[in-house]
Amino acid sequence: MELFLSASDPRPMYQQIVDQVTAKVMAGDWAPGQALPSIRELAAASHVSVITVRRAYEDLERAGVIATRQGKGSVVAERADLPTVLMHDELQRQLEALLAIATRLGLSRADLHRFLDAAADAADAHPDSPKGPTP
């Protein structure tokens, strides 16, 4: 399990762990049931405290991304639809951020539709550009 934590990243270390684990599960890089390193192993490998990793694992468990079994350790939650669920959650967060910005700009719903249509047209015009999985 390779995570890249950076002291220059404005996010707290535990959030960097949560975000990277979630991204790996969402991308399908980590399969349901795959074991995660123990809290102590990840703390040592990442040069962060055990408390930091424990908080990240607790957040991941609350979000349903991982499951922890006493004495057995933590594994990726065993849900075949987990990557899709996580992508839908991320899409919802992105839409909420988009709407907040649009509100600050005073954009109408019609304006938003035009922006979305233009972005979709631009993506269609560049079929070689990377696209994420479709839900």
Side-chain angles (χ1 to χ4, degrees), residues 13-120:
M13 292 292 185
Y14 80 88
Q15 190 62 53
Q16 292 179 50
I17 294 169
V18 169
D19 292 348
Q20 290 183 41
V21 170
T22 302
K24 289 180 181 294
V25 172
M26 195 179 343
D29 294 339
W30 291 358
Q34 181 173 334
L36 276 68
S38 73
I39 290 172
R40 289 187 190 282
E41 289 170 342
L42 184 55
S46 302
H47 307 291
V48 297
S49 77
V50 169
I51 295 167
T52 299
V53 177
R54 181 176 292 121
R55 178 169 181 191
Y57 276 26
E58 287 169 354
D59 285 0
L60 287 162
E61 188 160 21
R62 269 193 299 279
V65 177
I66 68 171
T68 302
R69 297 183 187 99
Q70 198 66 6
K72 299 274 186 184
S74 298
V75 298
V76 175
E78 298 196 40
R79 291 183 53 186
D81 66 339
L82 185 57
T84 301
V85 169
L86 293 173
M87 284 188 281
H88 278 267
D89 291 348
E90 179 62 21
L91 177 61
Q92 186 62 41
R93 281 190 292 279
Q94 295 289 333
L95 288 172
E96 289 167 6
L98 171 73
L99 291 173
I101 292 169
T103 298
R104 280 189 246 148
L105 290 172
L107 298 177
S108 69
R109 187 178 289 231
D111 292 333
L112 282 173
H113 282 276
R114 280 192 292 278
F115 275 109
L116 182 58
D117 288 341

